[in-house]
Amino acid sequence: MNPARRSAFSVRLAPLTLLLGAVLLAGQEAGAAAPKAPPATSAAPARVSAAEQAAMTRGRTLVRDFYAVKLDGLWGAFSPGVRSQWGALTDFRAFRRDGLAQYGPERQVVQERTFTRGPEVFYVRSAAFEKAPDLVWAVVLGFTGTQVTTFGIALEEDRSDAPVALHPASR
C-alpha cells in the first residue's frame, strides 16, 4: 500500500477524524459496558432497541448502496449539515469513486454494531477491502429518526503492523 495515497485519501476525512474517533470509541465502550448474560443463557441474542434494529437494517442498505456508487438515496437521507460537509452530490460521488478505485470492493466485514448516544442511533460497519486487506475502515452513520445526521469513514485498524508470531522451534 502506498502510504502517500492512503494519506491523500485520509486528508479528505480529516475534519471528521475526531468526531468519528469519539463515535467509534463510544461504540466500543457501549459494547464493553453491555451486561453479559450468565453462561447458561449466553446463546440468547443480546437485546437491541427497536431504534437500533432499524439503524442496523437501514445502515446496511445505505452502506451497500454507497459501496455500489448508488448514492441518491443516501444523499437524500443526509441532513443539511452532513450534505454541507461534502459539498454537492457530484463531489460526494467523486469521493466514492476515488475510494473504490484506490481500495477496491469490500471483501471482509469485520464487525457491524449499533449503539445510541443521546438522540442519535449509530450504525458502524467495519470492513477490509480488496486492494488493502490489512486496513480496516469503519463507515459510521448516525441517525436521528430517519435522517442521517452523522456520516464518515475512519481508519479503524491497520493490521499490517501486527507482530509476527514466532514458530515454537525458533524460540
Side-chain angles (χ1 to χ4, degrees):
M1 176 56 122
N2 179 343
R5 289 186 68 186
R6 180 174 27 165
S7 62
F9 181 76
S10 300
V11 166
R12 175 74 165 121
L13 303 174
L16 295 173
T17 302
L18 291 176
L19 170 67
L20 295 178
V23 166
L24 290 173
L25 181 60
Q28 290 169 351
E29 289 172 356
K36 303 260 187 222
T41 61
S42 61
R47 295 189 184 234
V48 178
S49 71
E52 287 182 12
Q53 288 175 345
M56 177 71 77
T57 301
R58 184 120 195 259
R60 283 177 173 162
T61 299
L62 292 174
V63 170
R64 182 188 64 235
D65 289 349
F66 174 72
Y67 287 159
V69 196
K70 297 177 182 176
L71 305 177
D72 294 330
L74 179 58
W75 187 259
F78 280 172
S79 68
V82 173
R83 283 187 191 160
S84 70
Q85 293 171 357
W86 294 98
L89 175 57
T90 55
D91 299 325
F92 187 57
R93 185 168 278 117
F95 168 79
R96 176 62 199 124
R97 286 185 177 145
D98 288 348
L100 184 59
Q102 186 171 350
Y103 292 98
E106 179 184 73
R107 285 296 173 233
Q108 177 194 13
V109 176
V110 175
Q111 182 180 17
E112 292 180 286
R113 56 206 178 277
T114 59
F115 60 95
T116 302
R117 284 290 178 264
E120 222 169 358
V121 181
F122 290 91
Y123 167 75
V124 181
R125 181 184 185 102
S126 302
F129 295 81
E130 186 175 88
K131 293 181 181 180
D134 290 335
L135 301 178
V136 177
W137 291 94
V139 175
V140 178
L141 288 96
F143 296 96
T144 302
T146 59
Q147 194 168 55
V148 175
T149 48
T150 298
F151 177 85
I153 304 166
L155 181 61
E156 186 171 25
E157 181 182 5
D158 184 344
R159 300 182 291 191
S160 65
D161 295 335
V164 176
L166 296 176
H167 186 278
S170 65
R171 292 184 186 167

